[in-house]
Amino acid sequence: MKYYLLINPTSGGNKGHKVEKTLCDFLDKNRIEYVKYISQRPKQEKELAREISKVINKEDTLIIIGGDGTLSNAVNQLPVDLPFAYIPAGSGNDFASSLNISKNPIESFKQIQKKHMEDFYIIKYDSQSLSGYAINNIGIGLDAAIVHSTNSSSLKSIFAKLNLGGLAYLSNAIKVLFRKKPFDVKINNNEFKNAFLLTVTTHPYFGGGFKIAPNESSLQNSLTLVELPRISLVKISKIIPQLLKGKHLDNKNVYHTTNRSFQIETSSPQPIQIDGEMFLATPNETIKMETQKRVIIK
Ligand SMILES: Nc1ncnc2c1ncn2[C@@H]1O[C@H](COP(=O)(O)OP(=O)(O)OP(=O)(O)O)[C@@H](O)[C@H]1O
């Protein structure tokens, strides 16, 4: 029995490397057998996940160490029935928050050692140009533009080092708010005019800790869709404090619904973020999203 560690050392402004060191010192000290797979370049965790899944035995445990992006890339390559564990080392760590996984690496490792397995649900998506799995959320429009702006901002790693991942999103959200144009969209064949923000999520957390869907849970076989039309900036500014308190769904301008699957059709090209990675939806792209069961060791 051994542990397979898949590590992104650069995640969370090099937090991945610190977590690797702390964990490996602990494993060495306690004579626990492990093998390290360290990603040396962006996206290499995909290859490493495929390699590990070919050699790992039933009694072994795969532990993914990195941020939400690393986990998302790895999960997309793993067989759906392969249980895995996760130790967060990102800047936002929304996935870890969703399953209450400790951000202390030794604490979360001790929990993993107990080998408690739990079913949870991620998003399976499919369209003319995109297919795969999302562990957190898929956003179209404003949401994607914010993620794009945050990822390309030099402030992200500074905020990460200060443990303020959410602040990086908030400052970029305010910047993008003034620029993004609304769009028309069909959700399960119902027309929504002037959509501005549209997110489908499998758990509450979004953008480094904001609860966009406070009642959703990864442990539930469901997805929540939240949509906000382009309303005046005065009205939007009233929603921001509500969002910070997790009360925005009470606002009459915010549409939300929970289902096991959604079909979304965009009428114009729109940026899409899938677990923080940017794509572009072509006009009339139909994106189907549904729940997909996975197993976590925690
Ligand atoms: N050695 C490497 N050098 C640079 N980038 C890497 C390396 N290994 C992996 N990556 C890439 O780093 C990107 C960011 O990783 P990740 O999202 O896990 O960290 P983060 O952005 O700090 O955390 P979060 O998503 O929680 O904010 C991923 O797209 C991943 O492919």
Side-chain angles (χ1 to χ4, degrees):
M1 137 79 191
K2 62 179 169 238
Y3 290 92
Y4 282 80
L5 311 181
L6 198 177
I7 307 160
N8 172 1
T10 66
S11 61
N14 293 332
K15 212 181 279 172
H17 179 66
K18 287 186 200 136
V19 170
E20 174 198 344
K21 185 155 184 341
T22 308
L23 180 65
C24 292
D25 284 351
F26 178 85
L27 298 176
D28 290 336
K29 209 168 126 198
N30 291 282
R31 296 171 192 275
I32 296 169
E33 199 183 343
Y34 66 93
V35 203
K36 279 200 278 192
Y37 287 67
I38 300 179
S39 72
Q40 309 285 356
R41 54 188 152 79
K43 309 279 175 265
Q44 203 199 354
E45 61 272 31
K46 293 187 180 197
E47 273 164 47
L48 301 180
R50 284 198 297 271
E51 269 176 47
I52 294 171
S53 61
K54 281 184 204 145
V55 294
I56 195 164
N57 288 320
K58 255 199 148 76
E59 62 277 11
D60 299 328
T61 301
L62 164 62
I63 307 180
I64 300 164
I65 301 168
D68 290 320
T70 307
L71 182 64
S72 177
N73 285 331
V75 165
N76 268 280
Q77 305 300 320
L78 297 176
V80 289
D81 57 352
L82 180 73
F84 63 87
Y86 174 60
I87 297 183
S91 52
N93 297 321
D94 283 338
F95 180 82
S97 304
S98 78
L99 286 175
N100 231 347
I101 296 173
S102 168
K103 284 157 197 149
N104 174 316
I106 303 302
E107 223 170 79
S108 50
F109 177 74
K110 285 183 178 165
Q111 198 56 41
I112 293 164
Q113 275 185 305
K114 294 182 191 159
K115 276 225 154 218
H116 170 72
M117 308 237 187
E118 195 153 22
D119 289 351
F120 73 105
Y121 294 85
I122 61 173
I123 309 171
K124 181 173 190 286
Y125 63 89
D126 212 350
S127 76
Q128 291 88 334
S129 64
L130 302 165
S131 69
Y133 302 98
I135 53 155
N136 287 339
N137 29 62
I138 299 182
I140 303 173
L142 181 74
D143 161 352
I146 296 169
V147 171
H148 178 63
S149 169
T150 308
N151 286 349
S152 44
S153 152
S154 53
L155 286 178
K156 186 181 177 189
S157 64
I158 297 169
F159 279 123
K161 285 193 178 114
L162 297 171
N163 268 329
L164 296 170
L167 259 190
Y169 284 87
L170 190 62
S171 64
N172 282 286
I174 292 165
K175 197 166 82 187
V176 173
L177 208 56
F178 290 94
R179 296 193 202 143
K180 180 77 189 86
K181 299 228 160 17
F183 57 99
D184 296 341
V185 65
K186 273 191 197 161
I187 301 171
N188 294 347
N189 278 323
N190 297 312
E191 192 107 30
F192 286 71
K193 294 264 176 216
N194 273 326
F196 196 42
L197 178 145
L198 195 165
T199 301
V200 174
T201 185
T202 177
H203 61 65
Y205 298 96
F206 167 83
F210 301 110
K211 286 191 177 181
I212 190 145
N215 302 324
E216 188 49 83
S217 162
S218 298
L219 303 176
Q220 262 164 231
N221 184 4
S222 65
L223 304 174
T224 291
L225 180 148
V226 179
E227 189 266 347
L228 175 72
R230 181 72 166 103
I231 47 177
S232 72
L233 285 177
V234 174
K235 284 183 180 160
I236 290 182
S237 65
K238 285 190 183 141
I239 296 176
I240 294 172
Q242 292 174 332
L243 171 69
L244 297 176
K245 285 189 213 139
K247 297 273 179 213
H248 56 291
L249 299 186
D250 298 340
N251 188 301
K252 66 177 183 354
N253 289 302
V254 181
Y255 171 79
H256 62 101
T257 180
T258 297
N259 216 320
R260 281 194 187 169
S261 66
F262 290 105
Q263 182 164 310
I264 297 171
E265 202 179 323
T266 51
S267 57
S268 56
Q270 285 300 323
I272 299 193
Q273 69 84 13
I274 301 175
D275 285 342
E277 194 177 342
M278 295 303 303
F279 300 90
L280 192 71
T282 53
N284 301 319
E285 180 131 10
T286 304
I287 310 163
K288 292 182 193 137
M289 303 179 198
E290 61 187 28
T291 52
Q292 157 88 75
K293 190 173 88 178
R294 294 287 178 119
V295 179
I296 188 123
I297 306 163
K298 66 182 276 277

mmCIF file of all heavy atoms in Angstrom, residues 201-218:
data_model
loop_
_atom_site.group_PDB
_atom_site.id
_atom_site.type_symbol
_atom_site.label_atom_id
_atom_site.label_comp_id
_atom_site.label_asym_id
_atom_site.label_seq_id
_atom_site.Cartn_x
_atom_site.Cartn_y
_atom_site.Cartn_z
ATOM 1 N N THR A 201 -23.342 25.665 -10.728
ATOM 2 C CA THR A 201 -22.377 25.221 -9.717
ATOM 3 C C THR A 201 -22.826 23.941 -9.018
ATOM 4 O O THR A 201 -24.020 23.686 -8.892
ATOM 5 C CB THR A 201 -22.121 26.359 -8.685
ATOM 6 O OG1 THR A 201 -21.104 25.926 -7.790
ATOM 7 C CG2 THR A 201 -23.368 26.743 -7.912
ATOM 8 N N THR A 202 -21.843 23.181 -8.583
ATOM 9 C CA THR A 202 -22.166 21.927 -7.890
ATOM 10 C C THR A 202 -22.028 22.072 -6.366
ATOM 11 O O THR A 202 -22.284 21.151 -5.616
ATOM 12 C CB THR A 202 -21.286 20.782 -8.452
ATOM 13 O OG1 THR A 202 -21.551 19.608 -7.741
ATOM 14 C CG2 THR A 202 -19.799 21.102 -8.361
ATOM 15 N N HIS A 203 -21.570 23.257 -5.940
ATOM 16 C CA HIS A 203 -21.450 23.530 -4.504
ATOM 17 C C HIS A 203 -21.574 25.045 -4.277
ATOM 18 O O HIS A 203 -21.604 25.811 -5.236
ATOM 19 C CB HIS A 203 -20.135 22.955 -3.957
ATOM 20 C CG HIS A 203 -18.903 23.533 -4.578
ATOM 21 N ND1 HIS A 203 -18.538 24.849 -4.436
ATOM 22 C CD2 HIS A 203 -17.953 22.964 -5.369
ATOM 23 C CE1 HIS A 203 -17.417 25.068 -5.093
ATOM 24 N NE2 HIS A 203 -17.043 23.947 -5.683
ATOM 25 N N PRO A 204 -21.598 25.508 -3.036
ATOM 26 C CA PRO A 204 -21.865 26.940 -2.797
ATOM 27 C C PRO A 204 -20.787 27.891 -3.297
ATOM 28 O O PRO A 204 -21.091 29.026 -3.654
ATOM 29 C CB PRO A 204 -21.927 27.037 -1.264
ATOM 30 C CG PRO A 204 -22.113 25.651 -0.764
ATOM 31 C CD PRO A 204 -21.538 24.729 -1.791
ATOM 32 N N TYR A 205 -19.528 27.457 -3.301
ATOM 33 C CA TYR A 205 -18.418 28.414 -3.381
ATOM 34 C C TYR A 205 -18.019 28.813 -4.790
ATOM 35 O O TYR A 205 -18.072 28.015 -5.731
ATOM 36 C CB TYR A 205 -17.194 27.862 -2.637
ATOM 37 C CG TYR A 205 -17.505 27.675 -1.199
ATOM 38 C CD1 TYR A 205 -17.898 26.424 -0.727
ATOM 39 C CD2 TYR A 205 -17.470 28.732 -0.317
ATOM 40 C CE1 TYR A 205 -18.224 26.242 0.606
ATOM 41 C CE2 TYR A 205 -17.795 28.562 1.016
ATOM 42 C CZ TYR A 205 -18.177 27.321 1.467
ATOM 43 O OH TYR A 205 -18.515 27.137 2.770
ATOM 44 N N PHE A 206 -17.570 30.045 -4.884
ATOM 45 C CA PHE A 206 -17.250 30.650 -6.168
ATOM 46 C C PHE A 206 -16.230 31.754 -5.928
ATOM 47 O O PHE A 206 -16.334 32.500 -4.939
ATOM 48 C CB PHE A 206 -18.562 31.202 -6.730
ATOM 49 C CG PHE A 206 -18.412 32.112 -7.893
ATOM 50 C CD1 PHE A 206 -18.276 31.591 -9.167
ATOM 51 C CD2 PHE A 206 -18.422 33.492 -7.725
ATOM 52 C CE1 PHE A 206 -18.145 32.433 -10.250
ATOM 53 C CE2 PHE A 206 -18.292 34.338 -8.806
ATOM 54 C CZ PHE A 206 -18.150 33.802 -10.075
ATOM 55 N N GLY A 207 -15.235 31.838 -6.811
ATOM 56 C CA GLY A 207 -14.312 32.975 -6.774
ATOM 57 C C GLY A 207 -13.511 33.123 -5.495
ATOM 58 O O GLY A 207 -13.271 34.236 -5.057
ATOM 59 N N GLY A 208 -13.133 32.001 -4.887
ATOM 60 C CA GLY A 208 -12.269 32.087 -3.712
ATOM 61 C C GLY A 208 -13.022 32.317 -2.420
ATOM 62 O O GLY A 208 -12.500 32.976 -1.522
ATOM 63 N N GLY A 209 -14.246 31.791 -2.330
ATOM 64 C CA GLY A 209 -14.913 31.793 -1.027
ATOM 65 C C GLY A 209 -16.291 32.429 -0.965
ATOM 66 O O GLY A 209 -16.952 32.347 0.057
ATOM 67 N N PHE A 210 -16.744 33.090 -2.060
ATOM 68 C CA PHE A 210 -18.095 33.661 -2.023
ATOM 69 C C PHE A 210 -19.105 32.532 -2.184
ATOM 70 O O PHE A 210 -18.918 31.641 -2.996
ATOM 71 C CB PHE A 210 -18.289 34.677 -3.149
ATOM 72 C CG PHE A 210 -17.310 35.798 -3.072
ATOM 73 C CD1 PHE A 210 -16.305 35.910 -4.007
ATOM 74 C CD2 PHE A 210 -17.372 36.716 -2.034
ATOM 75 C CE1 PHE A 210 -15.367 36.917 -3.919
ATOM 76 C CE2 PHE A 210 -16.439 37.727 -1.932
ATOM 77 C CZ PHE A 210 -15.433 37.839 -2.882
ATOM 78 N N LYS A 211 -20.193 32.631 -1.437
ATOM 79 C CA LYS A 211 -21.217 31.589 -1.543
ATOM 80 C C LYS A 211 -22.243 32.021 -2.563
ATOM 81 O O LYS A 211 -23.220 32.692 -2.229
ATOM 82 C CB LYS A 211 -21.871 31.362 -0.182
ATOM 83 C CG LYS A 211 -20.984 30.606 0.777
ATOM 84 C CD LYS A 211 -21.781 30.197 1.987
ATOM 85 C CE LYS A 211 -20.934 29.380 2.929
ATOM 86 N NZ LYS A 211 -21.677 28.940 4.094
ATOM 87 N N ILE A 212 -22.032 31.601 -3.813
ATOM 88 C CA ILE A 212 -22.970 32.013 -4.870
ATOM 89 C C ILE A 212 -24.263 31.209 -4.803
ATOM 90 O O ILE A 212 -25.327 31.688 -5.186
ATOM 91 C CB ILE A 212 -22.322 31.925 -6.273
ATOM 92 C CG1 ILE A 212 -23.225 32.584 -7.294
ATOM 93 C CG2 ILE A 212 -21.992 30.501 -6.680
ATOM 94 C CD1 ILE A 212 -22.564 33.299 -8.397
ATOM 95 N N ALA A 213 -24.169 29.960 -4.328
ATOM 96 C CA ALA A 213 -25.357 29.105 -4.206
ATOM 97 C C ALA A 213 -25.347 28.500 -2.801
ATOM 98 O O ALA A 213 -24.977 27.336 -2.628
ATOM 99 C CB ALA A 213 -25.325 28.019 -5.272
ATOM 100 N N PRO A 214 -25.724 29.293 -1.798
ATOM 101 C CA PRO A 214 -25.547 28.858 -0.404
ATOM 102 C C PRO A 214 -26.195 27.515 -0.063
ATOM 103 O O PRO A 214 -25.717 26.818 0.826
ATOM 104 C CB PRO A 214 -26.199 29.989 0.404
ATOM 105 C CG PRO A 214 -26.204 31.169 -0.506
ATOM 106 C CD PRO A 214 -26.329 30.637 -1.901
ATOM 107 N N ASN A 215 -27.264 27.134 -0.793
ATOM 108 C CA ASN A 215 -27.945 25.883 -0.435
ATOM 109 C C ASN A 215 -27.475 24.676 -1.225
ATOM 110 O O ASN A 215 -27.955 23.566 -1.017
ATOM 111 C CB ASN A 215 -29.459 26.043 -0.622
ATOM 112 C CG ASN A 215 -29.982 27.188 0.214
ATOM 113 O OD1 ASN A 215 -29.501 27.406 1.328
ATOM 114 N ND2 ASN A 215 -30.913 27.963 -0.337
ATOM 115 N N GLU A 216 -26.565 24.877 -2.173
ATOM 116 C CA GLU A 216 -26.085 23.736 -2.984
ATOM 117 C C GLU A 216 -25.031 22.984 -2.179
ATOM 118 O O GLU A 216 -24.412 23.523 -1.268
ATOM 119 C CB GLU A 216 -25.527 24.269 -4.324
ATOM 120 C CG GLU A 216 -25.174 23.212 -5.339
ATOM 121 C CD GLU A 216 -26.266 22.160 -5.558
ATOM 122 O OE1 GLU A 216 -27.217 22.389 -6.326
ATOM 123 O OE2 GLU A 216 -26.133 21.088 -4.937
ATOM 124 N N SER A 217 -24.843 21.697 -2.508
ATOM 125 C CA SER A 217 -23.802 20.907 -1.844
ATOM 126 C C SER A 217 -23.268 19.873 -2.823
ATOM 127 O O SER A 217 -24.043 19.267 -3.567
ATOM 128 C CB SER A 217 -24.395 20.208 -0.623
ATOM 129 O OG SER A 217 -23.544 19.160 -0.230
ATOM 130 N N SER A 218 -21.965 19.657 -2.813
ATOM 131 C CA SER A 218 -21.371 18.617 -3.660
ATOM 132 C C SER A 218 -21.886 17.238 -3.288
ATOM 133 O O SER A 218 -21.799 16.306 -4.075
ATOM 134 C CB SER A 218 -19.849 18.572 -3.476
ATOM 135 O OG SER A 218 -19.276 19.750 -3.858
#
